[in-house]
Amino acid sequence: MKMRNTHSLLTAAVATFGILSFTSLQASAAPIETANLTKRAPTWGFPYGSTKVRGVNLGGWLALEAWITPSLFDSTGNPAVIDEWTFSQYQDYNTAHTKLVNHWNTFITYNDLAAIKAAGLNHVRLPIGYWAWD
């Protein structure tokens, strides 16, 4: 089940923290055999080496983790639902889709990103499953 309605919030995270998109990192990465290891690493827009990295992990939002959001899993009433795949496979599509869209739209909000930035954090880790890109 692909994620929907998260593009604008991910865009806000990029704008707020100046982070790179997955595709821009992929496009600029050279294979090891052709990489010139004597060149300096590309500048990613953050002064690594002169500014302390302070960050937070926003796990459980774009890749479900039962230990972070047990209520989402417990609400299924099915003990076989233990991860995102079983969440989508062992429930009616519309039920799972409705719960997931609500979770994606409410678990982390723009206000959360603003609060993270206001707290002085400059990095956000956003775990996301490979299946979201299919």
Side-chain angles (χ1 to χ4, degrees):
M1 185 174 302
K2 291 184 185 178
M3 286 179 244
R4 306 282 185 220
N5 303 321
T6 56
H7 182 265
S8 61
L9 194 52
L10 288 174
T11 302
V14 170
T16 302
F17 295 97
I19 59 178
L20 295 171
S21 70
F22 177 76
T23 52
S24 66
L25 281 174
Q26 261 190 333
S28 64
I32 291 175
E33 22 334 307
T34 61
N36 182 345
L37 300 179
T38 60
K39 288 186 178 180
R40 291 185 55 110
T43 303
W44 299 116
F46 184 81
Y48 293 102
S50 64
T51 301
K52 188 165 183 103
V53 172
R54 299 181 189 280
V56 65
N57 176 25
L58 298 182
W61 176 37
L62 301 178
L64 294 185
E65 298 176 76
W67 66 275
I68 295 176
T69 55
S71 61
L72 195 58
F73 291 85
D74 294 344
S75 70
T76 67
N78 184 344
V81 176
I82 58 169
D83 56 22
E84 193 164 339
W85 186 85
T86 56
F87 189 90
S88 298
Q89 293 299 308
Y90 296 160
Q91 296 186 86
D92 170 71
Y93 173 85
N94 291 327
T95 300
H97 185 260
T98 299
K99 288 179 181 180
L100 287 173
V101 168
N102 181 61
H103 173 73
W104 295 328
N105 290 338
T106 61
F107 190 68
I108 301 294
T109 66
Y110 181 82
N111 289 339
D112 295 319
L113 295 175
I116 289 167
K117 184 173 184 179
L121 301 177
N122 53 31
H123 278 68
V124 174
R125 179 177 178 267
L126 297 171
I128 186 167
Y130 67 88
W131 52 88
W133 306 109
D134 290 341

